[in-house]
Amino acid sequence: SPTIYFLTGHGEKALDESYTKFRTNLRNYGYNASELNLASENDVPDDAAVIIVPAPKSDISKSELEKLDRYMDKGGNISLLMSPNKEEVKYANFEALMTEYGIGMDYNRIYETDSSKHAPEDEYEVIVNLVKPSEDDKNAIDLTSALADYENFVPYMPASRSFYDLTGGNSENLVIYPLMETNESAVGEPYGNPAADPEKLSGVLDLAAYSMDTDRNSSKLVVMGNAEFIDDENVQEEYSLVSVYMYLSTISWMYNSDVNMGIPVREKAYDYMTLSNKSDANTIMIIVIAAPLIVAAAGVGVWLKRRYS
């Protein structure tokens, strides 16, 4: 079976501690989920469908980058979930990998200046917008229109960093497009490495994007601004439902799967009982209401008798 590997060895969030619910969801759709310490492997395992890097605290080594590059040369798929890191860490090799796919990463943390665009008392948990390709973007892959059934859910993302397009859309081999963006009232404050991003960013900022290299066996890279939206705390909450569904659709797309990995929308269900006459109604009322009350009263009587005997 194809395996979704969660990279370890760089302070990432652990699969068994943070992603047990997400792993169950993956297994329900035929994917194994396992951790991968690339430093102890000669190469990425052959059964790797996607490599997920969840919130690394430090950079990968040059040797690990070379192994990932060989994997991508074969048409591999990598998903970088780059949560803001307060430590002054330079992700030089991760950035080198992203640069190959025309994506740049900001060292910042996004917050909202408009109180109506963030969670109550948390300006860093912001309302986001999914990006649907326009008709002029003939090469873009639409990974968000399938979320139409979730239009009544407002998507939030926990504290995230932003990304940007390094190619300007001019690369012949790359297909790059944002997946998720903030509202215009958002601000990206320098966070973790002030030397890399000394000034604040403001306006519409990209929190997720994808890139595909058509000249590299259609290998694919997906970047997300944080790794918390799919952890055990957030994955099944309504505020993250749209973001989780979108992310699952990127996994299906990366592995060229036609399996719909979405989480079903919660629906209300109602049961009805039709009674032919008043006598039947009274009987049902006695059974459903009166009988349990009689039993409860008898139980209380027995308890009182024993208590004061």
Side-chain angles (χ1 to χ4, degrees):
S1 298
T3 300
I4 307 293
Y5 282 103
F6 287 70
L7 198 66
T8 65
H10 319 90
E12 294 92 345
K13 294 170 75 73
L15 176 61
D16 290 334
E17 296 175 2
S18 300
Y19 299 109
T20 59
K21 296 177 182 177
F22 187 71
R23 176 175 59 187
T24 299
N25 187 271
L26 292 174
R27 287 178 174 174
N28 287 340
Y29 290 97
Y31 291 90
N32 290 327
S34 183
E35 291 188 335
L36 171 65
N37 189 332
L38 203 51
S40 62
E41 301 286 342
N42 293 325
D43 275 302
V44 174
D46 292 337
D47 63 347
V50 179
I51 295 177
I52 295 177
V53 186
K57 299 294 186 183
S58 60
D59 197 15
I60 54 175
S61 67
K62 187 67 175 179
S63 173
E64 289 173 303
L65 175 60
E66 292 172 354
K67 295 172 187 177
L68 292 176
D69 273 330
R70 290 197 294 270
Y71 169 65
M72 298 299 271
D73 287 340
K74 301 175 184 177
N77 308 294
I78 296 178
S79 180
L80 302 178
L81 310 183
M82 304 299 291
S83 298
N85 185 358
K86 65 180 180 180
E87 304 298 330
E88 294 189 13
V89 175
K90 176 68 174 176
Y91 294 101
N93 291 319
F94 276 124
E95 287 189 87
L97 177 62
M98 285 185 267
T99 299
E100 296 172 12
Y101 287 82
I103 296 176
M105 181 179 72
D106 295 312
Y107 287 80
N108 61 4
R109 183 174 58 167
I110 307 301
Y111 68 90
E112 259 292 348
T113 60
D114 184 343
S115 60
S116 67
K117 298 294 192 299
H118 65 73
E121 301 181 358
D122 187 355
E123 61 186 357
Y124 294 101
E125 186 168 351
V126 303
I127 293 176
V128 297
N129 301 306
L130 302 185
V131 182
K132 182 178 181 179
S134 66
E135 295 181 356
D136 296 331
D137 298 314
K138 303 299 183 182
N139 295 324
I141 296 101
D142 186 1
L143 298 177
T144 60
S145 64
L147 301 173
D149 292 340
Y150 298 81
E151 59 184 8
N152 294 326
F153 291 84
V154 178
Y156 286 80
M157 283 288 276
S160 302
R161 74 169 73 232
S162 60
F163 303 90
Y164 56 93
D165 188 342
L166 282 173
T167 68
N170 297 322
S171 175
E172 295 181 357
N173 301 326
L174 297 179
V175 178
I176 306 172
Y177 212 79
L179 288 168
M180 183 181 294
E181 63 186 16
T182 67
N183 291 283
E184 292 185 358
S185 49
V187 172
E189 62 181 3
Y191 192 76
N193 195 334
D197 286 303
E199 298 181 0
K200 288 185 177 181
L201 302 175
S202 60
V204 177
L205 303 172
D206 294 336
L207 302 188
Y210 71 81
S211 178
M212 178 175 66
D213 191 339
T214 58
D215 198 42
R216 202 173 178 181
N217 285 309
S218 294
S219 58
K220 305 175 183 75
L221 177 72
V222 171
V223 295
M224 303 287 294
N226 79 79
E228 285 66 49
F229 73 104
I230 59 168
D231 67 15
D232 287 346
E233 180 180 350
N234 295 286
V235 69
Q236 292 182 327
E237 299 296 334
E238 288 189 357
Y239 56 76
S240 63
L241 186 62
V242 175
S243 302
V244 171
Y245 189 3
M246 186 208 69
Y247 185 61
L248 290 170
S249 71
T250 69
I251 292 178
S252 294
W253 167 67
M254 283 192 286
Y255 193 59
N256 296 319
S257 169
D258 58 359
V259 175
N260 182 355
M261 297 176 64
I263 301 173
V265 176
R266 297 186 180 100
E267 296 181 354
K268 295 180 179 179
Y270 301 91
D271 291 328
Y272 297 91
M273 181 181 295
T274 302
L275 304 175
S276 59
N277 54 59
K278 185 176 180 179
S279 176
D280 290 345
N282 291 334
T283 302
I284 293 296
M285 292 290 286
I286 292 173
I287 294 174
V288 174
I289 299 177
L293 289 176
I294 293 171
V295 173
V300 171
V302 171
W303 176 78
L304 290 173
K305 182 177 180 180
R306 290 182 177 178
R307 179 179 177 85
Y308 295 107
S309 62

